[in-house]
Amino acid sequence: MSAADAAGADAVGVAESAAGTAVPPRKKMLELDDLHVFYGAIQALKGVHIEVNEGEIVALLGANGAGKTTTLRTISGLLTPREGEVRWRGERIDGVPAHHVVGLGIGHSPEGRRVFPAMTVTENLNMGAYRFKSVPKAELDRVFELFPRLAERREQLAGTLSGGEQQMLAIGRALMGQPKLLLLDEPSMGLAPLIVAQIFEIIREINEQGTTVLLVEQNAAQALRLAHRGYALETGSVVLSGPADRLLSDPKVREAYLGEGA
Amino acid sequence: MQPDEILDYLIPGIMLGALYAVIAIGYTLVYGVLQLINFAHSEVFMVGAYSALLALTWIDPSTNPTALVSVLLVAAGLAVSGTAGAATAFALEKVAYRPLRRRNAPRLAFLISAIGASYFLQNLAGKLFGRDSRALPTLFENKKVFSVFGTQVTILQLLIVCAAVLMMVGLDYLVNRTKLGSGIRAVAQDAETAGLMGVDIDKVISRTFIIGGFMGGIAGFLFGLHLQLSFTMGFLPGITAFAAAVVGGVGNIRGAMMGGMLLGIVESFSSPIFGESWRYVSAFAVLVLVLMFRPTGILGERLGRSA
Ligand SMILES: Nc1ncnc2c1ncn2[C@@H]1O[C@H](COP(=O)(O)OP(=O)(O)OP(=O)(O)O)[C@@H](O)[C@H]1O
Ligand SMILES: [Mg+2]
């Protein structure tokens, strides 16, 4: 996707909120249709419906234990829903194992970063490109351009990076698989505000370069300012959804997720 | 022990150590990817030795082959024992471990399955090959190749050490420089995340068993070249190599090489110093000592960067 398309996507976002209507027809990329996901007897998702369109940044909000991580893990094939479907460009992918899902163009930067601690920065990035025969050099350059900090630390063991650097590495590693859709699970977790702002800025850049983003965040205000649309999960169900700026000004959202008492 | 006898014990010690190292790698590789001690690995070793016995006696039934035939027999022995070891380990993973993994079975179930598989293979071998000791044909008649400071080195010793070192160098390359190797290391460090990167975890685990089994099977053949074969022959070398893996830091490949070499040399020297009956005590004394001071082993647990 070109920069012009991304700009177009932005324009649509504005039009949406101005009109206050549903999303105008646009290419659906990912659909979660009535997902029910269990951990043994515990039901974590209770009929989740979410859609992500080509070119968007979609924020997925919710308190601890709401089911955000479970949703992303179900998309990636780490979990299989008991009921419901995950559709990628119209085709069912629930039940497809994780190592095949990444091949479809879905990159996942997991909760808690999960870098390979005993590998160097470069080795971690190469792991991100495991699905390709050889490591795409252009992609590596792009990641180092997005994250100059990583470029300086190519040979450092990932386990010895700072939390912020590990987060950059986790995102960079997911980008190395050249995803069409990037799943980000709480990239701001445990980071200083300045670093969070930097990382969010980079997410915007990644999106402008053509990658669709599904962003899980507790940091609702910042996530909604970045996103085009948002969903709020509560104990396994979507309780709110809509254009990001409308959610930002919604009193319910302000109370529940932005910490403003009624 | 006289000072001039040191080499008389050091050389066999290195030979033994190289074999322990090769077997220890099998334990440590599997531990790396599954956090499981594959106690049936000692039987992979035994299967390697017996498969070579079958192949060698089939090729040339005489017990004292000529040098030229010996070369051929060694090549055949290496190929057959490596293949049989790899096949056994592959089957072991499929039958004894994978079904448990599918069901997220608790740790203990894996251990019991490992011990069960080990007894099964041992007694199957006892049934098929008899419960008496057997011997491989005597290859090269213990011919001396050269002497170091008056100590003779036999072709056999040289062969064993060279084969072991070659395997270790090859493995080190495979693990650190190839795509399969990076898959193995990624699975060892964080299997689920490796899956997110596109690594087929089952395939990597299966291949890890194959690699460890290949090396273990060849070690069985090499071991059988200078000692007797029996259906229980896997036990002592197996448990010693396991100790070696722990001494080096289980999960750490270079640690397993070091630990194996250390225990082989210690074992070799323990009989002249403390008496033959202390031979097998020594390796475990080293294990206890190392664990007292470094509970994670000399190089530490985990498949490291240069694992
Ligand atoms: N492996 C598991 N076994 C059992 N229950 C689990 C497991 N993982 C998650 N759960 C439960 O599923 C529910 C949803 O968890 P999930 O991790 O998806 O929440 P989350 O929205 O990502 O929360 P957080 O913001 O804290 O990361 C929680 O109630 C959690 O306790
Ligand atoms: Mg979570």
Side-chain angles (χ1 to χ4, degrees):
Chain A
M1 195 195 221
S2 70
D5 288 334
D10 261 346
V12 175
V14 172
E16 266 167 37
S17 47
T21 53
V23 187
R26 188 205 267 161
K27 220 169 162 198
K28 256 187 225 163
M29 196 175 220
L30 178 79
E31 287 169 273
L32 308 184
D33 188 359
D34 194 30
L35 283 188
H36 294 256
V37 176
F38 290 75
Y39 294 102
I42 303 165
Q43 182 164 17
L45 298 186
K46 304 167 180 166
V48 166
H49 287 269
I50 289 176
E51 283 180 21
V52 180
N53 301 309
E54 205 103 38
E56 284 185 315
I57 299 180
V58 174
L60 183 55
L61 313 173
N64 291 119
K68 307 179 295 296
T69 299
T70 304
T71 305
L72 293 197
R73 290 164 58 83
T74 308
I75 299 169
S76 306
L78 293 174
L79 296 170
T80 310
R82 192 173 291 180
E83 260 178 70
E85 298 186 0
V86 178
R87 282 190 295 271
W88 172 250
R89 298 185 156 150
E91 302 210 9
R92 279 189 73 164
I93 61 162
D94 47 276
V96 174
H99 64 272
H100 286 147
V101 171
V102 63
L104 300 172
I106 301 180
H108 188 159
S109 164
E111 181 171 54
R113 299 148 200 160
R114 306 277 288 265
V115 295
F116 298 109
M119 291 189 185
T120 64
V121 166
T122 309
E123 285 177 311
N124 265 276
L125 292 174
N126 291 346
M127 280 311 299
Y130 194 88
R131 74 188 189 91
F132 301 120
K133 276 224 160 56
S134 60
V135 178
K137 179 76 179 60
E139 205 55 43
L140 197 62
D141 291 342
R142 178 181 162 224
V143 168
F144 282 142
E145 214 167 282
L146 284 169
F147 302 104
R149 286 276 275 275
L150 295 182
E152 294 160 18
R153 294 162 192 277
R154 286 164 211 254
E155 296 310 316
Q156 191 173 330
L157 290 185
T160 66
L161 294 173
S162 77
E165 289 159 357
Q166 289 191 7
Q167 188 59 62
M168 296 175 193
L169 181 56
I171 299 174
R173 185 181 59 181
L175 285 176
M176 289 299 294
Q178 301 186 331
K180 302 279 182 291
L181 170 66
L182 180 60
L183 311 175
L184 296 174
D185 198 339
E186 298 206 42
S188 73
M189 190 164 57
L191 303 183
L194 198 67
I195 308 281
V196 175
Q198 265 178 33
I199 286 193
F200 274 43
E201 202 39 56
I202 290 167
I203 295 171
R204 185 193 304 280
E205 222 173 300
I206 291 168
N207 176 252
E208 279 165 4
Q209 292 173 9
T211 308
T212 308
V213 177
L214 178 54
L215 171 67
V216 161
E217 261 302 330
Q218 299 241 13
N219 198 333
Q222 260 175 310
L224 285 175
R225 261 180 246 125
L226 179 69
H228 303 108
R229 290 188 307 114
Y231 291 85
L233 273 181
E234 224 168 78
T235 57
S237 310
V238 175
V239 289
L240 277 170
S241 63
D245 41 9
R246 209 178 65 199
L247 288 178
L248 253 180
S249 55
D250 186 314
K252 274 188 289 182
V253 175
R254 301 194 74 87
E255 188 189 333
Y257 303 104
L258 305 182
E260 295 177 10
Chain B
M1 192 177 62
Q2 304 300 312
D4 60 338
E5 286 175 355
I6 288 182
L7 280 174
D8 292 342
Y9 293 100
L10 185 61
I11 291 168
I14 289 174
M15 182 188 77
L16 197 59
L19 287 180
Y20 286 156
V22 168
I23 308 167
I25 286 169
Y27 285 102
T28 240
L29 272 176
V30 166
Y31 182 84
V33 293
L34 281 186
Q35 285 78 53
L36 157 86
I37 302 299
N38 175 19
F39 277 111
H41 189 55
S42 49
E43 270 49 67
V44 170
F45 170 86
M46 178 268 296
V47 167
Y50 271 101
S51 67
L53 176 71
L54 290 183
L56 266 51
T57 44
W58 179 75
I59 296 173
D60 178 17
S62 69
T63 46
N64 272 312
T66 62
L68 195 67
V69 176
S70 290
V71 173
L72 173 77
L73 290 183
V74 166
L78 290 173
V80 169
S81 61
T83 310
T88 308
F90 173 80
L92 207 54
E93 191 268 328
K94 274 256 154 60
V95 175
Y97 302 132
R98 186 166 296 194
L100 297 178
R101 231 154 26 83
R102 286 276 173 281
R103 291 170 179 74
N104 283 320
R107 242 339 78 107
L108 189 60
F110 284 87
L111 189 65
I112 292 168
S113 191
I115 294 170
S118 175
Y119 274 98
F120 171 79
L121 287 173
Q122 225 178 75
N123 287 291
L124 183 68
K127 169 95 179 61
L128 293 177
F129 306 119
R131 303 200 157 231
D132 305 322
S133 294
R134 310 273 295 268
L136 286 172
T138 312
L139 303 182
F140 302 115
E141 282 259 48
N142 281 344
K143 280 205 187 72
K144 316 286 186 238
V145 258
F146 56 82
S147 63
V148 193
F149 299 113
T151 301
Q152 303 286 314
V153 178
T154 65
I155 293 186
L156 218 53
Q157 289 170 329
L158 199 64
L159 168 78
I160 290 174
V161 173
C162 284
V165 168
L166 265 180
M167 279 194 280
M168 289 190 264
V169 171
L171 179 84
D172 204 69
Y173 178 85
L174 186 139
V175 169
N176 291 307
R177 297 269 174 274
T178 68
K179 193 160 170 175
L180 173 60
S182 56
I184 291 175
R185 285 184 296 144
V187 170
Q189 289 173 40
D190 185 340
E192 190 178 84
T193 305
L196 287 180
M197 306 292 116
V199 179
D200 184 339
I201 300 170
D202 283 341
K203 211 179 199 173
V204 162
I205 289 174
S206 193
R207 292 191 179 166
T208 304
F209 271 84
I210 289 174
I211 295 164
F214 177 79
M215 295 176 68
I218 287 183
F221 165 59
L222 296 175
F223 202 85
L225 282 177
H226 71 111
L227 286 174
Q228 297 273 306
L229 273 58
S230 81
F231 71 106
T232 54
M233 68 180 284
F235 181 71
L236 260 179
I239 204 92
T240 310
F242 166 57
V246 176
V247 162
V250 65
N252 188 313
I253 294 171
R254 286 182 186 167
M257 297 178 186
M258 265 183 55
M261 206 42 104
L262 177 69
L263 294 197
I265 291 171
V266 166
E267 187 184 313
S268 184
F269 277 101
S270 67
S271 46
I273 297 175
F274 304 112
E276 177 64 26
S277 54
W278 286 91
R279 191 177 180 94
Y280 298 109
V281 180
S282 59
F284 297 95
V286 172
L287 174 68
V288 171
L289 274 175
V290 168
L291 291 187
M292 263 162 55
F293 295 105
R294 269 191 77 91
T296 55
I298 296 172
L299 293 191
E301 273 180 53
R302 275 214 154 284
L303 277 163
R305 168 192 185 186
S306 48

